[in-house]
Amino acid sequence: GLKVPLLLVMGHAQCGGAAHALKICSRENFTPTNFIDRWCGLAKDAVCHVCDNFDVEVRGRELEQELVRRSVHNLMEFPFVRDAVAAGTLEVRGAFFTLFNGKLKILGNDGVFRDSPATGRGSYNDLLALEGAGGENGGRRSPSPQMDLLTQLGAAAAA
């Protein structure tokens, strides 16, 4: 099994791969001609989802975040990952880093990106409450060591 407590899928703003995928996959009859086209072509379903649901002005950012969502989902399809998550020995999380302002957003279980607890715009327990996490303390639980790491990453990014 995996010997790590956290798999973090980290996306970032101004992603060239997402921009290229949006450009090539939205074409009719797209045929990849090189490695980059084939790699970005893997995002075709995500591109179609974003193009069907968002205005052209926001598609780039929406695709960047959708790719993180889908990567987290795809990781959970591996039985050894799913089993480790169920056993409580692994967390699979998504995050999105905005390069130009250093903000870190954490992907909630509901598929929504929210400001990292380190930004001062909410606590870890606030995120859990929004995610509908069960457990003790009225649906809230103590921060995991993995979320402490995400909080530290957010604090470092904001500094």
Side-chain angles (χ1 to χ4, degrees):
L2 293 172
K3 297 188 184 345
V4 297
L6 173 68
L7 288 178
L8 177 63
V9 176
M10 177 76 86
H12 62 89
Q14 299 175 315
C15 177
H20 187 68
L22 189 59
K23 182 175 119 184
I24 63 172
C25 293
S26 57
R27 289 188 210 146
E28 298 263 338
N29 303 320
F30 164 68
T31 304
T33 59
N34 58 49
F35 171 77
I36 298 297
D37 285 356
R38 285 190 296 279
W39 175 64
C40 290
L42 297 172
K44 187 162 181 68
D45 289 343
V47 170
C48 290
H49 168 77
V50 166
C51 288
D52 289 347
N53 292 286
F54 297 97
D55 292 331
V56 70
E57 299 84 28
V58 297
R59 286 180 184 164
R61 176 59 44 85
E62 292 297 333
L63 180 59
E64 292 163 349
Q65 294 182 354
E66 182 63 19
L67 291 170
V68 173
R69 285 183 198 97
R70 289 181 183 232
S71 293
V72 168
H73 174 79
N74 289 343
L75 281 168
M76 292 300 295
E77 295 296 313
F78 290 96
F80 64 95
V81 171
R82 191 173 46 247
D83 292 347
V85 169
T89 59
L90 177 68
E91 278 189 73
V92 179
R93 301 297 300 225
F96 184 81
F97 185 67
T98 306
L99 301 169
F100 54 87
N101 66 10
K103 291 201 178 198
L104 179 69
K105 292 187 176 278
I106 307 297
L107 179 62
N109 291 337
D110 60 359
V112 175
F113 284 91
R114 293 187 179 80
D115 289 325
S116 163
T119 65
R121 295 187 184 159
S123 69
Y124 173 73
N125 282 333
D126 292 337
L127 285 176
L128 287 177
L130 290 169
E131 294 174 357
E136 55 193 71
N137 302 325
R140 295 182 175 156
R141 60 182 182 200
S142 299
S144 68
Q146 295 80 14
M147 279 305 293
D148 287 343
L149 172 64
L150 290 177
T151 300
Q152 291 168 14
L153 287 171

